[in-house]
Amino acid sequence: MKEIEIENELRRVVRRLFLEKRIDIFIGFEDSLNGVRPCFIKSVDEVDRLVWNKFCKNNLALYLLRFDCRVGIVAKGCDEGAIIELIKENQISRENLYIIGIPCNGIYSEDNKIYSVCKTCTRRNPLIADIIIGELVDEKDMTFDDLKEIEDMPIKDRFRFWIREFENCILCYACRNICPLCYCNECYLDRRDLIDLRERNLSDKIFFHLSRAIHLAGRCIECGECERACPMNIKLGKLFRKISKEVWELFEYKPGIGIEDKNPLITFDPKRDEEL
Amino acid sequence: MREDIRIVGFLCNWCSYAGADLAGVSRLEYPANLRIIRVMCSSRVDPIFVLKAFKEGADGVLVAGCRLGECHYIEGNFYTRRRFSMLKRILEYVGIEKERLRVEWISSSEGERFRSIIEEMTSEIKKLGKLNLDKYEGN
């Protein structure tokens, strides 16, 4: 199916959902000056604003927490992964949600380059969608070879590499705010005794990123939104992919797949943990 | 500039803290680089505590709890084990040596073992040198 056909089919389905009064609001994408942006459709006359193309990069699961009504949403693989994690953590309920899944072959930046997280994505097809538009695509094998370059450095060089990355951080909190799974109303990163925004010390920046990393261990679905949101181009994707790798190697667990799966860090198994 | 290294120890109230106490009452001598913080269970220790300790200038962190299966709260230290094996790997990935974070299971009768662990850890971290996250002086 071509992009334009998917777009037309998407509009048709959403129009029907509104006419049958099955949703109160629909979250999708609309055209903007530079590419696309998320939009909220409230009635059937607005449905023609919806678009779908390979530049639809945002993870729309972020906006689900804002609504307390029946919501429709268009979801790529990573969006759906985030939705599954939010359902697991009792932040949204599946009954109030209508998911339109679209198989995804990777998304592109405005200058037509595929995002690096998409190259290694193993979560391309919808799993829990109510309806799927477009043909399913082939899943790639899971590989973490892209981390080899950093992992093989001597430890001192690795430290230098990450210090060079983190010292660029301006503590703007964009990566936290864009993350669909960083939803806590009261976040310890807002505590000014932990992170001093007047000083902006290097140690604060390291603390910021490492604590976010450990919080998202076993939850991060590698949508790459943090890396895209970062105004200083810190290689956050490389940090969070390492988290996913360790979770996979230690616990054989991949977040965003099964609604019944349990995050390995909130449970334990005395037998298999012996080697830890 | 401070001379000596600093180690922060989170010890669980029921076993490790009592173990440290035993080392004390038995008059065993161990390096004074350790600053002990008592917690009710090793699973009370959020990985954030450890990161904060490093941020505030600790060169090493020890998290100690009851022996596995002997936790006062039945299963607390099994969670601790998973959490900190994860954190260790993250630290190593960003270039902070994993020896700086140590997780040990020390029972209340192991005063001698407590002493030898502290001695070993202190000498290990002395070899690694100080960890200064505030100012990076390498090139």
Side-chain angles (χ1 to χ4, degrees):
Chain A
M1 237 187 206
K2 281 195 199 115
E3 263 173 11
I4 188 77
E5 293 173 57
I6 293 177
E7 191 174 292
N8 288 334
E9 179 70 7
L10 177 70
R11 287 180 186 164
R12 199 183 61 76
V13 172
V14 176
R15 201 171 286 123
R16 206 189 65 219
L17 286 174
F18 272 113
L19 291 175
E20 291 172 4
K21 295 206 184 338
R22 290 174 66 182
I23 53 171
D24 301 315
I25 199 156
F26 187 84
I27 309 177
F29 291 94
E30 67 178 350
D31 269 324
S32 78
L33 282 176
N34 45 359
V36 294
R37 65 182 177 201
C39 72
F40 307 101
I41 306 285
K42 296 194 182 80
S43 69
V44 69
D45 344 311
E46 297 174 55
V47 169
D48 285 332
R49 266 162 65 194
L50 284 174
V51 297
W52 182 262
N53 53 45
K54 63 180 179 177
F55 303 110
C56 295
K57 59 186 181 199
N58 305 62
N59 192 330
L60 297 177
L62 172 70
Y63 304 105
L64 283 175
L65 294 165
R66 296 185 186 183
F67 301 106
D68 199 15
C69 53
R70 291 168 304 160
V71 186
I73 187 168
V74 52
K76 308 178 288 289
C78 45
D79 303 21
E80 212 193 35
I83 293 171
I84 289 177
E85 287 299 307
L86 289 172
I87 293 172
K88 269 156 71 172
E89 291 169 13
N90 291 324
Q91 296 301 315
I92 49 176
S93 70
R94 181 70 184 88
E95 294 81 62
N96 282 345
L97 203 58
Y98 191 93
I99 304 172
I100 300 177
I102 298 186
C104 166
N105 251 328
I107 33 177
Y108 293 74
S109 58
E110 277 91 37
D111 47 2
N112 217 357
K113 278 198 204 106
I114 190 164
Y115 284 109
S116 64
V117 280
C118 295
K119 286 182 198 159
T120 49
C121 175
T122 53
R123 181 72 172 80
R124 291 162 190 266
N125 292 315
L127 295 176
I128 58 161
D130 295 285
I131 184 172
I132 296 175
I133 300 178
E135 294 100 21
L136 294 182
V137 295
D138 292 335
E139 293 282 5
K140 278 193 188 166
D141 292 333
M142 202 186 298
T143 164
F144 293 104
D145 288 345
D146 54 316
L147 297 175
K148 267 241 148 50
E149 190 193 341
I150 299 173
E151 282 172 336
D152 288 347
M153 289 180 191
I155 190 151
K156 288 266 182 271
D157 293 358
R158 217 152 52 208
F159 190 62
R160 193 178 305 134
F161 172 85
W162 282 111
I163 293 288
R164 289 268 175 277
E165 290 293 318
F166 291 152
E167 74 184 353
N168 291 331
C169 176
I170 53 171
L171 290 173
C172 67
Y173 285 61
C175 49
R176 183 200 67 176
N177 294 343
I178 203 75
C179 179
L181 292 166
C182 268
Y183 53 74
C184 299
N185 288 329
E186 217 168 282
C187 176
Y188 63 94
L189 291 171
D190 289 325
R191 274 176 51 187
R192 291 294 158 251
D193 56 330
L194 283 178
I195 291 174
D196 192 334
L197 286 185
R198 291 162 300 179
E199 302 264 340
R200 292 173 193 259
N201 291 324
L202 178 58
S203 62
D204 289 350
K205 298 169 184 178
I206 298 172
F207 174 81
F208 179 94
H209 291 289
L210 293 190
S211 51
R212 239 173 68 70
I214 188 79
H215 261 198
L216 284 163
R219 304 168 62 228
C220 174
I221 35 89
E222 293 175 58
C223 58
E225 278 288 80
C226 45
E227 198 173 59
R228 282 194 286 271
C230 183
M232 304 305 286
N233 296 322
I234 299 175
K235 295 193 180 79
L236 291 169
K238 289 270 182 280
L239 180 63
F240 284 97
R241 266 187 67 66
K242 174 68 176 177
I243 314 293
S244 304
K245 179 185 172 185
E246 295 301 344
V247 170
W248 176 252
E249 283 183 353
L250 291 171
F251 311 115
E252 274 173 50
Y253 172 84
K254 188 169 155 46
I257 302 288
I259 288 194
E260 301 299 323
D261 293 354
K262 228 176 168 189
N263 181 342
L265 291 174
I266 57 165
T267 175
F268 65 90
D269 178 353
K271 275 226 178 70
R272 69 161 296 161
D273 289 359
E274 262 162 27
E275 67 232 41
L276 292 182
Chain B
M1 191 71 185
R2 69 200 156 86
E3 288 295 304
D4 235 352
I5 58 151
R6 268 188 294 209
I7 300 175
V8 176
F10 295 98
L11 307 189
C12 105
N13 179 51
W14 306 99
C15 301
S16 315
Y17 195 78
D21 212 26
L22 181 67
V25 295
S26 330
R27 310 226 165 204
L28 301 174
E29 211 172 302
Y30 60 79
N33 306 68
L34 180 73
R35 315 292 147 90
I36 294 176
I37 297 171
R38 182 173 64 104
V39 287
M40 287 312 277
C41 177
S42 59
S43 62
R44 171 68 184 89
V45 185
D46 191 319
I48 305 297
F49 294 180
V50 175
L51 293 173
K52 191 185 175 199
F54 283 131
K55 172 171 116 68
E56 307 274 328
D59 306 298
V61 176
L62 168 73
V63 180
C66 303
R67 284 181 165 263
L68 292 162
E70 289 171 21
C71 177
H72 188 75
Y73 305 102
I74 317 299
E75 54 192 29
N77 47 15
F78 287 108
Y79 295 105
T80 316
R81 181 164 64 174
R82 281 206 165 186
R83 257 175 234 164
F84 286 100
S85 53
M86 192 71 216
L87 183 62
K88 262 186 206 168
R89 284 159 181 252
I90 297 175
L91 288 178
E92 217 190 2
Y93 183 63
V94 297
I96 298 172
E97 297 86 352
K98 66 171 184 293
E99 291 82 7
R100 292 190 190 272
L101 169 61
R102 198 156 162 167
V103 183
E104 287 289 345
W105 318 118
I106 306 168
S107 89
S108 53
S109 60
E110 294 177 313
E112 176 55 38
R113 186 157 162 263
F114 179 79
R115 188 190 65 95
S116 64
I117 285 172
I118 304 302
E119 269 181 354
E120 199 184 300
M121 196 177 167
T122 312
S123 68
E124 235 169 43
I125 290 171
K126 270 191 181 141
K127 245 179 262 158
L128 292 175
K130 287 191 193 123
L131 178 73
N132 191 350
L133 294 183
D134 253 329
K135 213 166 159 205
Y136 180 59
E137 274 145 0
N139 35 48

